[in-house]
Amino acid sequence: MSVKVLCDTCGKKAIIGKARRLSVDDVDLFCSCHDPECGLSFKAEFIFSHTLKLGGLATKLASNPLIHDISCLDPHRPYCRCGSVAIIRKTNRVSVSYADVYCVCSDKECGHQFVNKLLYLHTLSPSAKNCSALVSELTKAMSPSHKQALQQELALF
Ligand SMILES: [Zn+2]
Ligand SMILES: [Zn+2]
């Protein structure tokens, strides 16, 4: 099971296009909204938050302290600090732009249980929905003569 990211603007499922791993438990996700009418693309981060149960992690790290080459780890999956892939047990979505993801290390000797957070960082390209909402808000605030002038200008396009 991989991470599910939601669009911050319309709340629909977002597609993870590219993922860049910064460390064993920190990944940048480049996402875009599944809805072509929305078209928001944004950057999110999937990063270690806190440990629930340490398990055998300390022992494992003591025997094998160096984590490897992070480029060989699948950026679309969560990893435990020991370098083993982690299993997502549940996702607690706090808001569209924030979720706690409960993970457990797949290595039985380690068994580290931890929480990763999935958070919206910033917009890469704005949603079309945002733009039209913005325009309609703007026109609401305009005087009738301004609106007419705008309509004429828009007709030129
Ligand atoms: Zn969207
Ligand atoms: Zn582990």
Side-chain angles (χ1 to χ4, degrees), residues 51 109 130:
T51 292
E109 271 176 53
N130 257 358

Side-chain angles (χ1 to χ4, degrees), residues 77-121:
R77 300 184 74 178
Y79 280 82
C80 171
R81 288 232 160 124
C82 74
S84 304
V85 71
I87 300 154
I88 298 177
R89 294 183 126 178
K90 102 180 161 176
T91 302
N92 181 15
R93 199 164 289 280
V94 180
S95 71
V96 178
S97 51
Y98 184 89
D100 281 329
V101 181
Y102 290 79
C103 307
V104 61
C105 182
S106 63
D107 183 335
K108 296 241 167 6
E109 271 176 53
C110 172
H112 180 212
Q113 292 177 25
F114 58 99
V115 179
N116 272 6
K117 53 190 173 186
L118 177 65
L119 60 150
Y120 180 91
L121 286 185

